[in-house]
Amino acid sequence: MRAHGMQCPTCDKYGDLVHATVRKTGQQVIVCTECDFVWPHPQQDIHPAHATDVASLLAQSGLDDDWDELELGARVPPSSTA
């Protein structure tokens, strides 16, 4: 079995979470590659209550609802709570 990144808690772990940067503002976020939820404060717990959607996040910065506004980075590593 291949190692994956941390899986999204909002879409029943169907999508992987990746680090991303909003190109025009430099804001660091974490985004699900499947359900379009985004965590605008990566230092917080990855919990559904802290998520918003990509369109809302971009609109708050006056940007178009377009994934091209995001520069995707590395996958978020699985949490190591032991």
Side-chain angles (χ1 to χ4, degrees):
M1 183 182 251
R2 207 165 46 129
H4 292 284
M6 184 174 193
Q7 293 182 317
C8 179
T10 61
C11 65
D12 294 329
K13 300 182 180 180
Y14 187 68
D16 284 334
L17 298 179
V18 296
H19 292 280
T21 303
V22 180
R23 292 179 192 273
K24 292 182 182 167
T25 66
Q27 180 180 1
Q28 302 289 310
V29 298
I30 293 175
V31 66
C32 176
T33 57
E34 190 62 37
C35 71
D36 291 358
F37 270 105
V38 63
W39 285 263
H41 305 287
Q43 68 279 8
Q44 283 185 334
D45 289 337
I46 302 301
H47 186 276
H50 299 146
T52 188
D53 60 277
V54 170
S56 296
L57 176 82
L58 294 173
Q60 288 173 2
S61 297
L63 302 172
D64 292 332
D65 174 15
D66 187 341
W67 272 75
D68 286 340
E69 298 286 357
L70 299 176
E71 182 176 333
L72 301 182
R75 288 182 175 167
V76 175
S79 58
S80 57
T81 53

